[in-house]
């Protein structure tokens, strides 16, 4: 399927550098752990952490949502096999995209329950007009229109993650 470029490699690089500066200032002398949501935020994680020149730890969580067969309610299953202890740490939760907000909101609650000292959120992208859960990301790369996007970690059916830019997938 064709992918129409939306955000170029250099635009993303510049924005990541700016976010890095902001995070550096906000978390100086604090025990920062960046918890990245698999798999979509891996590229953003790798690029962002290299723009942050203060000590930090990284952790990974996986969150999968399942829609019930008989109801429209979704259940979020959280797998934290690669998430070290965040007790007393200042956690920055990193996801690829804020769409309905369900994933991020559930993960914020979960990490608070795990004993984190603080939990903030960072997203590469935020789609307008899609949110059902009120959550304001503390750091946001780009606000994008309501279209299905791929690349720079984001997938369609697990493809396209490796594209170095973000583009709109035309279906
Ligand atoms: P939310 O819980 O609805 O905010 O869902 C966020 C998750 O949905 C993201 O982590 C992505 O995995 C996926 N997602 C939402 N919109 C897109 C998109 O346009 N492209 C690729 N994945 C998306
Ligand atoms: Mg995802």
């Amino acid at each position: 399927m064709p992918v129409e470029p939306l955000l170029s490699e250099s635009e993303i690089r510049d924005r990541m550098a700016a976010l890095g500066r902001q995070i550096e200032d906000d978390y100086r002398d604090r025990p920062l752990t960046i918890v990245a949501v698999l798999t979509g935020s891996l590229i953003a994680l790798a690029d962002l952490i290299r723009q942050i020149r203060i000590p930090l730890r990284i952790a990974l969580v996986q969150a999968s949502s399942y829609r019930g067969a008989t109801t429209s309610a979704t259940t979020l299953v959280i797998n934290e096999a690669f998430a070290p202890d965040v007790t007393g740490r200042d956690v920055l939760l990193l996801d690829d995209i804020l769409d309905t907000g369900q994933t991020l909101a559930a993960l914020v609650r979960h990490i608070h329950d795990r004993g984190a000292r603080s939990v903030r959120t960072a997203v590469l992208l935020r789609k307008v007009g899609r949110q059902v859960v009120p959550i304001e990301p503390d750091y946001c790369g780009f606000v994008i229109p309501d279209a299905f996007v791929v690349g720079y970690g984001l997938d369609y059916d697990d493809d396209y993650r490796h594209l170095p830019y973000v583009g709109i997938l035309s279906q």
Side-chain angles (χ1 to χ4, degrees):
M1 275 181 280
V3 180
E4 179 200 327
L6 179 68
L7 302 168
S8 71
E9 275 186 82
S10 65
E11 270 176 282
I12 300 172
R13 195 184 318 113
D14 291 350
R15 190 69 190 116
M16 284 298 177
L19 288 177
R21 292 296 78 73
Q22 242 181 296
I23 293 166
E24 215 170 71
D25 289 344
D26 294 350
Y27 285 92
R28 209 170 290 283
D29 300 318
R30 293 171 65 185
L32 172 61
T33 297
I34 297 186
V35 177
V37 184
L38 290 169
T39 303
S41 67
L42 278 183
I43 315 286
L45 174 70
D47 283 349
L48 182 64
I49 57 175
R50 287 177 291 174
Q51 300 289 344
I52 303 174
R53 298 159 304 187
I54 56 168
L56 62 85
R57 296 180 184 172
I58 56 176
L60 303 170
V61 285
Q62 186 184 38
S64 326
S65 43
Y66 297 96
R67 178 145 301 151
T70 51
T71 72
S72 66
T74 51
T75 317
L76 194 75
V77 176
I78 297 169
N79 174 350
E80 46 195 344
F82 300 100
D85 191 10
V86 294
T87 310
R89 310 267 318 163
D90 289 305
V91 170
L92 181 59
L93 188 60
L94 173 68
D95 206 354
D96 52 1
I97 187 166
L98 178 65
D99 186 27
T100 66
Q102 269 153 348
T103 310
L104 216 52
L107 284 170
V108 167
R109 278 195 304 274
H110 183 81
I111 291 168
H112 265 301
D113 293 347
R114 281 277 179 274
R117 186 166 86 166
S118 70
V119 186
R120 286 192 194 164
T121 55
V123 292
L124 172 69
L125 309 172
R126 179 184 197 171
K127 246 190 237 187
V128 294
R130 291 273 308 163
Q131 261 182 265
V132 297
V133 177
I135 176 169
E136 282 303 310
D138 298 283
Y139 306 91
C140 174
F142 301 90
V143 175
I144 61 160
D146 183 7
F148 197 85
V149 291
V150 295
Y152 199 77
L154 290 112
D155 73 304
Y156 171 66
D157 202 13
D158 262 330
D159 288 321
Y160 304 102
R161 292 194 198 276
H162 65 107
L163 297 179
Y165 57 91
V166 172
I168 296 175
L169 189 70
S170 18
Q171 341 235 7

